[in-house]
Amino acid sequence: MFATRTIVHLDADAFFAAVEQAADPKLRGKAIAVGGERRGIIASASYEARQFGVYTPMPTARARKLCPKLIVLPGDFERYEQFSNWMFGYCYDFTPDVEQTSIDEGYYDLSGARKSPVAIALKIRDAIGQKLKITVSEGIATNKLVSAVASKLTKPAAFSEVHPGTKDSSFIHSPINGCRVSVRKQACA
């Protein structure tokens, strides 16, 4: 059993757009967005659309000017809720301590885990990727704030661990198990 407090922040990457791409394979690899089709704003943009400068909450008209081939889809919130339930269901397979903070992100506590928290977090992310066909970013730390920051550092499909006792903010990026991982350097005393 691991004695150190271990909190994992789970954050789905471009969730609404990713769910649309997962549900319709013809949309994979294309610049898509979820939002108002003619008027309104972009609620979620795929990473392919983001390469053209499309972001949330950009007006749809501006997004279409930046990316003329942008496919804009109306939201399917029942589908997003179902994917969210499935995503967090994988977390519940390993711990009852799951706190969902929005439809696409939350925390789970692996402090009492009998197996390596890193191994568990990687297993959850792999299951989500294989079964749901969406990517998630995860940050592991001893508290919620640091784990949330860690999960957002190298999105998409990030996996970042901040080791207990780190004191500075310099990060080294290195690939481990096919994931991008950020490991904080120990501050010199």
Side-chain angles (χ1 to χ4, degrees):
M1 186 181 293
F2 290 82
T4 304
R5 185 164 187 233
T6 307
I7 306 297
V8 181
H9 182 257
L10 175 72
D11 187 3
D13 301 321
F15 185 61
F16 298 161
V19 168
E20 294 296 342
Q21 289 176 320
D24 184 352
K26 292 181 281 185
L27 297 174
R28 292 182 192 157
K30 295 185 178 176
I32 72 158
V34 173
E37 293 181 69
R38 299 208 184 282
R39 296 178 53 186
I41 62 167
I42 300 300
S44 179
S46 68
Y47 283 91
E48 295 86 358
R50 291 177 188 197
Q51 292 175 350
F52 291 92
V54 177
Y55 61 87
T56 304
M58 174 181 282
T60 301
R62 182 166 179 222
R64 287 189 182 281
K65 286 179 185 173
L66 291 172
C67 184
K69 293 185 178 182
L70 182 68
I71 300 167
V72 180
L73 303 167
D76 183 346
F77 293 97
E78 287 182 19
R79 178 183 289 159
Y80 307 148
E81 185 176 5
Q82 183 63 62
F83 268 72
S84 178
N85 290 338
W86 288 331
M87 183 174 74
F88 284 101
Y90 291 111
C91 302
Y92 280 110
D93 288 345
F94 293 93
T95 179
D97 297 324
V98 178
E99 179 185 347
Q100 188 173 344
T101 56
S102 72
I103 196 165
D104 70 335
E105 68 182 285
Y107 302 91
Y108 58 98
D109 189 338
L110 295 176
S111 299
R114 294 176 189 237
K115 295 182 179 177
S116 160
V118 169
I120 293 170
L122 288 171
K123 190 169 189 172
I124 290 170
R125 90 189 251 110
D126 289 347
I128 291 168
Q130 289 174 9
K131 304 285 187 199
L132 302 182
K133 306 294 185 225
I134 63 173
T135 61
V136 296
S137 293
E138 291 178 306
I140 300 178
T142 57
N143 65 59
K144 290 179 183 178
L145 175 63
V146 176
S147 67
V149 170
S151 72
K152 296 181 185 304
L153 288 173
T154 56
K155 285 181 75 93
F159 184 85
S160 303
E161 180 180 12
V162 179
H163 297 285
T166 55
K167 295 180 175 64
D168 71 1
S169 60
S170 59
F171 286 85
I172 301 172
H173 302 287
S174 61
I176 295 179
N177 295 336
C179 304
R180 287 191 311 229
V181 179
S182 299
V183 181
R184 268 190 140 160
K185 282 184 178 177
Q186 292 288 343
C188 297

